[in-house]
Amino acid sequence: MSNNEIATDDGIDGATTTDTASNTLDPSGDPLVDHDISVEGSDSRSASSGKTVIESRNLDVYYDDLQAIDDVSMAIPARQVTAMIGPSGCGKSTFLRCINRMNDLVDSARVEGELRFDGQDVYEQDIDPVALRRRIGMVFQHPNPFPKSIYDNVAYGLRVQGRDGEVDLDQQVEESLRRAALWDEVKDQLDKSALDLSGGQQQRLCIARAIAVDPDVILMDEPASALDPIATSKIEDLIEELAEEFTVVIVTHNMQQAARISDRTAVFLTGGELVEYDDTGTIFENPEHQRVEDYITGKFG
Amino acid sequence: MSNESQSVSDSLQRNQFVARKERLYAWLIAGSAVLTILVTVGIVLALSVNALTFWREISPIAFFTGTNWSPKIAGEYGVLPLVSGTLLVTVCSALIALPVGLAAAIYLSEYASERVRSILKPALEVLAGVPTVIYGYMALVYVTPLIDGFLPIDATVIPSRIQILAIPDWLPAISGFVLALPEFTLVVPSLRTFNALSASIVVGIMIIPMVSSISEDALSAVPDSLREAAYGLGSTKFDVSTKVVVPSATSGIVASYVLALSRAIGETMAVTMAMGMSPQMPYFPNVLKNLAESSQTITAAMVQIAGADSLGTGPTFEAMFALGMTLFAITLTMNVLAELVRRRFREAYE
């Protein structure tokens, strides 16, 4: 436990020296800064990253007796791409699915500790996971469009949230498809089944579907791992654009991908332990921990 | 050298015994397939030959448009009362079984815990295994008295003073009675001992397991990735079930509906026992009376003929095959329609 905390603290310390991005948000207004990690990191964030949107404190997750996440504390900044990397079974996907409580669907999953979204602990009794997921969208590993038309896929979220009366649905669908860089390819076939699209197009459709409801955060669980290199590069370009408006948290197996697209990188190693969390540049060029360097250079994992 | 090549070709030589065995298996398997086809073709042939004999004696026009089925007494062979009796039971039982069966399937597939499912699913299969004669008995002994006792069922629903104004002229049977007010009130008469309502209820219950079991399989086959996608967009459990899972399983649900309806159309024992043997053209406009009165389905009429002394000779006997053809045509049409619907909705999930 103490190991992890030190690791995380070090990570954010490291950010002080390396980060050059500018940010005007004042973190002192952030209710989360009194936490030990954030206090140490707050100076650096005032100069570097945005306001914290998601923060975990001593988060443990168990599947029955198996511990998948071991005492993870990390703060995820707004409107940046935060990548989580690590070997298979290290808990990075589990952590991602805690953020929008998708783990609720797994009967054996048990969560301890705190996970805060906008300062609110999402595992508190009176939090409605449905409402939470309306603000935190998700894109999955395998493209999973509904067996409906392209239009109905994008409109689904607004309809199910009862917001299709408030907005111009046609316009919202078009704009979401445009932001997902899919509009030009499908504008003449919106009534066609989404299943007729190629894998890469389907994944961009899933991204359009997620952003159509205008969430605050988009979680991505290895969104490009089932796609070919060209489709992957399109998705990567898209993710970088999305970060201008949304907070993007992405789990990836692909270290080059994390290096290319993310602003900050969290390295999980076996046992659900967050070993290092820092600016992506630092993680890949000058990691604090030998284990992280070994993993990144391919000596381990 | 030649010796060596000899032994090599030996080892590659086809083993005659194995080859013969393989051929025998192929024939046996093919034979089983051909047998089922031959039986089907045989049934259709036997049906049509006898039915054609019947239609030589009784004109098909009289058969398909006649409104009186009275083979023994009047020698009239109008099939419409029987078709209407069959459709009445099918539609009314479908009104019960399709929504309830689908709801049960959704519960089993989406809501029930593993433990509840492991108890409920076998229980439903047991319901499917109850012999239909018992359903008929239940209708007669329990359902009819229960309904008759509960509902003040002979009360007038619409006061007889209110005339139903728009009576279509094209209904010849009715236009003669325009001034006979009681005919035009929606009165629910008290249930007869044999009545269509209890027959429909028990047939509906009888086919629920068919709908729920097959629909549940279809719903369970919908990949979890679609459920996750829907939950991820802020859907409630009910949204996920009704807006994503059910539409994705449409083809399987339609299949279950068609099978259940075919069973209702072909159901014999329960309807014969519960609904009686009085062929009846539908009452109109007092439609509720149809439920309270006795009627007869196509299948029940066939049972009646098959149970009679005159078995084996005469137009009455051959009428059975004409009825069989009619039934066959109805179910075939259903299946073809269902196949079209299934093709329209068939979706690969990924």
Side-chain angles (χ1 to χ4, degrees):
Chain A
M1 138 132 201
S2 59
N3 253 351
N4 279 349
E5 257 178 28
I6 291 163
T8 318
D9 291 354
D10 285 348
I12 292 173
D13 260 353
T16 324
T17 55
T18 51
D19 208 333
T20 52
S22 68
N23 193 292
T24 52
L25 280 174
D26 183 3
S28 60
D30 189 337
L32 306 169
V33 294
D34 57 355
H35 183 65
D36 53 345
I37 296 169
S38 301
V39 169
E40 293 201 33
S42 62
D43 288 343
S44 69
R45 243 188 296 118
S46 67
S48 63
S49 48
K51 171 173 168 275
T52 297
V53 180
I54 297 157
E55 188 186 29
S56 72
R57 296 180 188 179
N58 311 115
L59 192 76
D60 294 309
V61 181
Y62 301 85
Y63 294 116
D64 289 327
D65 294 335
L66 184 81
Q67 186 161 16
I69 296 277
D70 185 5
D71 196 37
V72 168
S73 299
M74 69 184 281
I76 294 171
R79 297 191 182 192
Q80 294 201 8
V81 179
T82 303
M84 299 193 221
I85 61 172
S88 296
C90 68
K92 54 195 191 301
S93 283
T94 297
F95 183 84
L96 192 76
R97 282 159 179 263
C98 282
I99 298 174
N100 65 346
R101 289 187 57 174
M102 284 301 269
N103 281 335
D104 287 16
L105 305 179
V106 181
D107 285 338
S108 62
R110 184 161 51 87
V111 178
E112 286 170 12
E114 279 177 32
L115 199 142
R116 293 185 171 274
F117 167 64
D118 249 3
Q120 173 73 52
D121 188 348
V122 303
Y123 281 95
E124 251 169 43
Q125 202 79 68
D126 60 341
I127 296 290
D128 178 9
V130 171
L132 177 73
R133 292 178 198 134
R134 289 178 179 190
R135 294 182 62 190
I136 304 180
M138 189 158 193
V139 176
F140 298 84
Q141 180 172 9
H142 292 280
N144 54 359
F146 301 126
K148 302 171 186 281
S149 72
I150 293 169
Y151 184 96
D152 287 343
N153 262 279
V154 182
Y156 176 88
L158 288 168
R159 283 179 176 152
V160 89
Q161 299 183 13
R163 283 158 59 192
D164 49 333
E166 301 164 20
V167 294
D168 182 343
L169 204 55
D170 289 351
Q171 194 197 326
Q172 190 76 13
V173 167
E174 175 177 342
E175 190 177 330
S176 305
L177 286 168
R178 277 190 197 282
R179 279 149 96 190
L182 189 61
W183 173 253
D184 290 333
E185 293 160 59
V186 302
K187 63 183 173 197
D188 299 323
Q189 40 178 346
L190 294 176
D191 292 333
K192 232 173 91 176
S193 169
L195 301 173
D196 294 340
L197 298 175
S198 73
Q201 288 175 321
Q202 287 188 5
Q203 194 62 304
R204 276 178 284 148
L205 179 66
C206 292
I207 292 173
R209 184 174 67 182
I211 62 183
V213 297
D214 204 24
D216 301 331
V217 179
I218 300 175
L219 309 177
M220 298 189 165
D221 192 355
E222 301 187 40
S225 67
L227 304 178
D228 65 66
I230 292 170
T232 299
S233 87
K234 280 187 183 166
I235 298 280
E236 288 183 4
D237 291 347
L238 183 55
I239 291 169
E240 285 180 285
E241 277 173 37
L242 290 177
E244 288 167 17
E245 283 178 77
F246 304 100
T247 303
V248 179
V249 187
I250 177 171
V251 162
T252 177
H253 259 313
N254 181 330
M255 278 178 281
Q256 286 75 30
Q257 187 172 68
R260 277 194 298 267
I261 62 175
S262 70
D263 302 300
R264 294 179 66 81
T265 298
V267 184
F268 286 73
L269 292 179
T270 8
E273 186 189 350
L274 174 63
V275 180
E276 193 162 340
Y277 174 44
D278 207 329
D279 290 304
T280 300
T282 313
I283 292 280
F284 282 93
E285 282 152 28
N286 187 21
E288 192 83 15
H289 291 72
Q290 189 59 42
R291 290 163 72 198
V292 171
E293 188 167 351
D294 287 351
Y295 174 68
I296 283 165
T297 53
K299 286 183 196 153
F300 159 74
Chain B
M1 176 72 201
S2 72
N3 221 359
E4 198 172 282
S5 79
Q6 182 67 36
S7 80
V8 165
S9 69
D10 262 357
S11 70
L12 289 176
Q13 199 105 57
R14 186 193 301 273
N15 182 327
Q16 284 306 315
F17 178 68
V18 171
R20 264 201 297 276
K21 215 166 60 175
E22 282 296 303
R23 267 202 300 280
L24 178 69
Y25 291 152
W27 278 110
L28 281 175
I29 294 166
S32 308
V34 169
L35 183 70
T36 58
I37 295 168
L38 282 183
V39 169
T40 312
V41 171
I43 289 174
V44 174
L45 275 181
L47 271 181
S48 29
V49 167
N50 283 288
L52 285 176
T53 320
F54 171 79
W55 280 322
R56 251 199 304 272
E57 291 169 50
I58 311 291
S59 98
I61 296 169
F63 179 76
F64 284 114
T65 61
T67 55
N68 186 16
W69 177 264
S70 178
K72 298 250 180 66
I73 300 157
E76 288 200 46
Y77 296 91
V79 80
L80 284 182
L82 302 180
V83 171
S84 75
T86 293
L87 290 184
L88 178 66
V89 170
T90 306
V91 169
C92 293
S93 61
L95 287 179
I96 296 168
L98 304 194
V100 175
L102 180 59
I106 293 174
Y107 176 74
L108 282 174
S109 157
E110 307 298 311
Y111 284 81
S113 69
E114 203 52 55
R115 218 171 63 90
V116 172
R117 196 203 327 253
S118 70
I119 297 166
L120 271 188
K121 246 208 138 175
L124 269 173
E125 317 276 307
V126 170
L127 196 62
V130 176
T132 61
V133 63
I134 292 178
Y135 281 105
Y137 188 74
M138 290 288 160
L140 213 52
V141 178
Y142 293 107
V143 178
T144 300
L146 202 67
I147 298 174
D148 216 11
F150 257 122
L151 304 171
I153 211 162
D154 48 0
T156 307
V157 178
I158 294 178
S160 58
R161 287 189 298 281
I162 300 175
Q163 261 202 42
I164 294 176
L165 296 175
I167 293 163
D169 296 338
W170 46 265
L171 282 166
I174 287 161
S175 53
F177 296 92
V178 168
L179 292 175
L181 286 181
E183 279 293 307
F184 297 105
T185 57
L186 284 175
V187 178
V188 184
S190 52
L191 287 181
R192 301 295 161 112
T193 310
F194 298 106
N195 63 80
L197 182 58
S198 19
S200 302
I201 290 173
V202 292
V203 172
I205 292 169
M206 190 188 302
I207 61 180
I208 283 174
M210 204 159 213
V211 175
S212 60
S213 178
I214 299 172
S215 292
E216 200 260 339
D217 290 343
L219 296 176
S220 302
V222 172
D224 276 343
S225 64
L226 293 185
R227 290 186 184 86
E228 286 192 329
Y231 278 120
L233 286 162
S235 308
T236 62
K237 198 174 186 87
F238 189 69
D239 289 331
V240 175
S241 305
T242 55
K243 297 194 175 125
V244 173
V245 180
V246 168
S248 303
T250 307
S251 72
I253 293 169
V254 169
S256 81
Y257 280 4
V258 170
L259 278 171
L261 290 183
S262 296
R263 168 120 194 246
I265 291 171
E267 171 47 38
T268 309
M269 201 29 124
V271 292
T272 309
M273 289 177 74
M275 201 158 86
M277 302 223 179
S278 332
Q280 197 64 256
M281 282 302 280
Y283 298 98
F284 187 87
N286 193 1
V287 285
L288 293 178
K289 197 175 175 191
N290 291 306
L291 293 173
E293 295 282 326
S294 171
S295 183
Q296 192 173 30
T297 62
I298 300 176
T299 50
M302 292 168 73
V303 168
Q304 199 176 14
I305 295 172
D309 315 331
S310 59
L311 194 63
T313 50
T316 309
F317 167 71
E318 279 143 9
M320 193 163 68
F321 293 91
L323 289 179
M325 271 308 266
T326 313
L327 202 58
F328 180 67
I330 294 175
T331 45
L332 188 70
T333 314
M334 291 261 319
N335 287 348
V336 169
L337 280 179
E339 189 54 38
L340 291 178
V341 175
R342 284 187 60 171
R343 265 190 219 158
R344 165 74 182 75
F345 286 107
R346 178 162 306 175
E347 301 287 2
Y349 297 116
E350 284 176 47

